[in-house]
């Protein structure tokens, strides 16, 4: 892969760049209610501001990739998008959410600033092209089954629409049954595309399907991997957070308690300053 100069992706007041101070992308796994979402968004935005870190709020209106048909999927697209718009209006921060199907893309693009392509869908050409055509920034999570150099072709699909507002995100690679491993070499390899690279610290500690009809994981290692990723030089760190993760409807094992966020950001800021000088 031929290395190219680092590109910047600006979304509202936030600019992503592997050569810039990192952006914090955070929020609960899924939207549970308007009040809950606004409360968490306000808390996380304040923590990011206190740390001097640009902030993007993330939450999903639908979690289509549940382990079991019994899994709680979310509040639904109509109400979910209204709540995400409310977050953006109230806090002035960019918002990000997943899209799972081509017919969702247009409506989602009108309500949020960044469209996220889930890891399992990272090679779905029609979805990538539809997202690219909106002109919105597109964050693509690298499939657990892909090598980091495969993401150059994924980005090229989006870029073929004339949209170069592309962010590439690593969330670990499959390593045996119910296990993921984070190869930090993936971050600079994906950065050779020139596009900003994000590291998803919480999904990287997930144990897919380990709970039988749900995924497991161990949140204690998420801040550890986040520190390693920032030391490797990333544009953004993604971490899901919740006020009561053990009772959350999804991803409870990996979401961070709110009081972990400020200490984690403080350490990441210190590491980022050393790495980027």
């Amino acid at each position: 892969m031929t290395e190219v100069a680092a590109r910047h992706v600006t979304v509202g007041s936030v600019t992503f760049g592997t050569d810039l101070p990192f952006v914090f992308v955070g929020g609960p796994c899924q939207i549970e209610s308007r009040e809950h979402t606004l409360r968490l968004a306000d808390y996380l935005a304040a923590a990011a501001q206190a740390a001097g870190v640009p902030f993007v709020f993330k939450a999903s209106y639908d979690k289509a990739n549940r382990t079991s048909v019994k899994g709680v999927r979310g509040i639904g697209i109509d109400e979910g998008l209204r709540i995400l718009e409310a977050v953006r209006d109230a806090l002035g921060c960019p918002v990000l959410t997943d899209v799972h199907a081509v017919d969702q893309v247009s409506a989602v693009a009108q309500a949020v600033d960044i469209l996220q392509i889930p890891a399992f869908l990272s090679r779905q050409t029609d979805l990538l092209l539809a997202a690219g055509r909106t002109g919105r920034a597109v964050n693509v999570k690298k499939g657990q089954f892909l090598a980091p150099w495969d993401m150059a072709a994924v980005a090229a699909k989006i870029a073929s629409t004339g949209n170069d507002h592309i962010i590439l995100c690593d969330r670990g690679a499959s390593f045996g049954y119910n296990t993921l491993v984070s190869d930090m070499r993936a971050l600079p390899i994906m950065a050779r595309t020139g596009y900003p690279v994000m590291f998803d610290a919480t999904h990287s500690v997930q144990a897919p399907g380990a709970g039988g009809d749900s995924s497991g994981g161990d949140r204690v290692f998420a801040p550890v991997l986040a520190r390693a990723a920032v030391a490797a030089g990333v544009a953004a760190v993604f971490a899901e957070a919740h006020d009561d993760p053990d009772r959350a409807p999804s991803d409870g094992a990996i979401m961070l308690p709110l009081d972990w966020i400020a200490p984690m950001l403080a350490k990441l800021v210190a590491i980022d300053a050393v790495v980027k000088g």
Side-chain angles (χ1 to χ4, degrees):
M1 184 191 303
T2 302
E3 190 166 351
V4 300
R7 295 179 171 97
H8 293 167
V9 173
T10 298
V11 183
S13 61
V14 173
T15 300
F16 294 82
T18 305
D19 59 339
L20 298 177
F22 78 93
V23 175
F24 173 50
V25 180
C29 176
Q30 61 176 260
I31 298 168
E32 298 173 35
S33 71
R34 181 187 180 92
E35 183 278 329
H36 182 259
T37 302
L38 285 165
R39 178 160 47 84
L40 264 61
D42 184 66
Y43 182 97
L44 295 171
Q49 183 177 32
V53 177
F55 175 64
V56 174
F57 179 75
K58 176 270 164 190
S60 299
Y61 57 83
D62 180 23
K63 303 301 294 185
N65 296 329
R66 296 296 82 194
T67 302
S68 166
V69 71
K70 294 183 277 187
V72 178
R73 290 183 51 165
I75 202 166
I77 187 168
D78 294 334
E79 181 62 15
L81 294 182
R82 283 192 287 269
I83 292 171
L84 289 169
E85 286 182 308
V87 170
R88 183 169 59 184
D89 292 344
L91 301 180
C93 64
V95 295
L96 173 155
T97 199
D98 303 292
V99 289
H100 297 92
V102 171
D103 61 6
Q104 298 176 351
V105 169
S106 178
V108 174
Q110 294 178 51
V112 307
D113 305 283
I114 304 174
L115 305 180
Q116 180 163 278
I117 308 297
F120 285 125
L121 301 177
S122 57
R123 290 190 63 175
Q124 293 295 100
T125 300
D126 290 343
L127 183 59
L128 294 167
L129 295 178
R133 291 187 188 111
T134 67
R136 290 293 195 187
V138 182
N139 178 46
V140 189
K141 289 195 174 183
K142 181 183 76 63
Q144 302 92 321
F145 45 86
L146 294 179
W149 45 86
D150 294 333
M151 291 299 283
V154 172
K157 292 180 182 181
I158 300 169
S160 73
T161 69
N163 184 351
D164 63 355
H165 303 303
I166 301 166
I167 303 165
L168 304 179
C169 181
D170 188 45
R171 57 147 299 165
S174 296
F175 185 72
Y177 300 118
N178 305 126
T179 308
L180 299 174
V181 64
S182 291
D183 180 356
M184 292 299 159
R185 297 175 301 174
L187 303 172
I189 289 171
M190 289 197 293
R192 291 175 189 166
T193 62
Y195 296 111
V197 173
M198 183 186 305
F199 180 71
D200 181 344
T202 46
H203 286 96
S204 292
V205 299
Q206 190 180 63
D213 59 0
S214 64
S215 291
D218 191 345
R219 69 175 68 97
V220 73
F221 292 111
V224 177
L225 291 181
R227 294 196 295 270
V230 170
V234 290
V237 172
F238 178 114
E240 290 185 335
H242 198 277
D243 53 339
D244 191 2
D246 290 332
R247 291 196 170 113
S250 58
D251 276 356
I254 63 170
M255 281 196 286
L256 306 184
L258 294 182
D259 60 1
W260 289 24
I261 299 300
M264 181 182 75
L265 290 178
K267 290 179 181 178
L268 298 184
V269 167
I271 296 168
D272 198 51
V274 172
V275 170
K276 294 174 182 170

